[in-house]
Amino acid sequence: MAKKLFTLLFASVLAFPLSTLVFAQEAPAKTKAAKEARWEGTIIRSSQDKSTLTVRKAGSTVEKIIQYDSSTRWVSQEHGSKKVNDIAVSEVKDNDRVICKGTWGNDGVLHATLISKRLTPP
């Protein structure tokens, strides 16, 4: 009886560290990097105080809030052109067409890493 208990105790002492190694290796595989999201449309409202833009999808009534910060890159680009120009935040106004890229937060807000003002060809 004591021999069986000792064997069982010894087996569980060996099994516990091995099982934690297996689960520890699986954990990073389950966590995914945040997928880059995209939202495009026309700026309906902007708030520099809150660092947000409200963008309405073209041909729709669906609006999303886009939040930006000091790390957000601001650019402008003509349709079909490969030339991208860096711009200041102040150059983007209401009724401008934009493409925003970033990640969606749990609050339904797109946290922008890039905001591209679309320019119409001359």
Side-chain angles (χ1 to χ4, degrees):
M1 178 74 174
K3 200 173 198 179
K4 285 184 181 181
L5 281 175
F6 180 77
T7 305
L8 184 61
L9 177 65
F10 183 75
S12 63
V13 168
L14 282 178
F16 181 74
L18 292 175
S19 65
T20 56
L21 287 175
V22 169
F23 289 119
Q25 289 176 352
E26 288 180 13
K30 289 182 182 178
T31 58
K32 290 183 179 179
K35 183 180 177 186
E36 184 178 63
R38 173 186 164 114
W39 187 260
E40 65 179 283
T42 305
I43 298 174
I44 302 304
R45 285 178 295 282
S46 57
S47 171
Q48 288 188 348
D49 297 336
K50 295 179 183 178
S51 299
T52 61
L53 303 172
T54 302
V55 178
R56 180 179 294 155
K57 192 168 198 81
S60 174
T61 58
V62 179
E63 297 177 359
K64 295 290 183 177
I65 296 174
I66 311 300
Q67 187 169 29
Y68 58 89
D69 57 25
S70 61
S71 66
T72 302
R73 182 174 177 217
W74 295 81
V75 298
S76 67
Q77 185 175 11
E78 285 189 22
H79 181 76
S81 173
K82 299 231 183 256
K83 184 177 180 190
V84 178
N85 307 306
D86 287 320
I87 61 172
V89 178
S90 59
E91 294 182 52
V92 177
K93 308 272 188 245
D94 289 358
N95 297 317
D96 282 343
R97 188 168 170 269
V98 293
I99 296 176
C100 307
K101 293 184 178 182
T103 55
W104 290 109
N106 293 336
D107 51 359
V109 174
L110 180 74
H111 300 278
T113 55
L114 174 75
I115 297 177
S116 177
K117 177 179 177 179
R118 309 314 284 178
L119 305 173
T120 55

